[in-house]
Amino acid sequence: MNQTGKIYIKEVEKQLQCTLRQKRNLKADLHHIVYMYLDDNPEASYNDIAAALGSPERMAEELLQDIPKSERYQTRRKRKRVHVTIVVALLVMVIAASFIVAYFIRNPYTQEVTTVVYEEDDNLPKYWDYAEKYGINYEFDDRGNIIRASDSDGNKIAVDQDGIPLDQEKYSLEEEEK
């Protein structure tokens, strides 16, 4: 089959509004009709095919004659509903994505980390030994006051204003007797 025959078939297929099973059968009929014409007229142009067989719209209507209009209408409605659903879903995703982007632009996630380096052990704060021995993490406010303490698993630990854990049975700096 020449290229013009394929173009004609594609144009007719676009006009077929029916179920996929029906469309498959109609496409087989259409291929047969176009092949028969092109066997007799191998050098036919697109205009020759359209003149002999009818415009793609007219050919589609002829092929669809056996299918009740109510079925064609239902198929058209279903396809339209699917297209509308897809468009609405895409719009919802675009709107949701824009809200998420806008939120993170207005409220960027930042965390300030301050590293303090002490040169002598004598100047270390009291809580330092607990942090070192038990892996306690301390969070500070803007003025350097301890606002929260947690262990390495993220569990909160009650501490006094100097960062010393209140549970001295669990967090003790005294050496255990052997």
Side-chain angles (χ1 to χ4, degrees):
M1 173 182 294
N2 64 20
Q3 192 64 27
T4 56
K6 290 178 183 178
I7 293 170
Y8 181 80
I9 289 173
K10 287 280 185 202
E11 290 297 318
V12 174
E13 287 175 0
K14 289 179 188 177
Q15 304 297 321
L16 296 176
Q17 298 292 323
C18 54
T19 65
L20 292 176
R21 179 178 290 149
Q22 293 167 335
K23 195 173 203 174
R24 198 175 321 123
N25 293 335
L26 294 176
K27 284 168 56 174
D29 294 344
L30 175 63
H31 280 267
H32 179 72
I33 292 167
V34 174
Y35 279 122
M36 297 259 308
Y37 177 77
L38 289 176
D39 279 346
D40 295 338
N41 304 293
E43 298 299 319
S45 68
Y46 180 88
N47 291 334
D48 295 336
I49 297 170
L53 302 177
S55 68
E57 294 82 10
R58 184 176 170 142
M59 175 57 81
E61 279 300 317
E62 286 182 28
L63 290 169
L64 291 169
Q65 279 179 347
D66 295 338
I67 299 171
K69 287 191 179 202
S70 61
E71 280 187 42
R72 287 190 270 168
Y73 177 72
Q74 286 176 346
T75 303
R76 218 173 297 134
R77 281 185 59 203
K78 284 179 185 177
R79 283 192 182 155
K80 188 174 183 178
R81 199 175 318 136
V82 168
H83 289 130
V84 168
T85 303
I86 290 171
V87 168
V88 168
L90 288 173
L91 283 173
V92 168
M93 287 191 295
V94 167
I95 290 169
S98 64
F99 276 112
I100 291 169
V101 168
Y103 174 80
F104 283 111
I105 288 173
R106 289 186 184 139
N107 306 311
Y109 177 76
T110 58
Q111 186 174 12
E112 185 176 320
V113 176
T114 304
T115 304
V116 179
V117 178
Y118 293 97
E119 293 184 16
E120 296 179 21
D121 285 347
D122 295 340
N123 294 332
L124 293 176
K126 295 178 185 178
Y127 64 82
W128 187 260
D129 292 330
Y130 292 96
E132 194 172 56
K133 184 173 181 180
Y134 296 104
I136 297 175
N137 300 309
Y138 294 93
E139 293 181 39
F140 302 90
D141 63 11
D142 295 337
R143 289 185 240 125
N145 300 320
I146 297 172
I147 56 172
R148 195 173 298 121
S150 58
D151 62 13
S152 57
D153 295 328
N155 302 318
K156 290 183 180 178
I157 300 173
V159 294
D160 65 13
Q161 66 187 21
D162 295 324
I164 310 300
L166 298 178
D167 185 358
Q168 284 297 309
E169 290 180 21
K170 185 174 181 181
Y171 303 102
S172 173
L173 290 179
E174 297 175 11
E175 294 294 323
E176 297 178 7
E177 295 180 20
K178 293 186 178 183

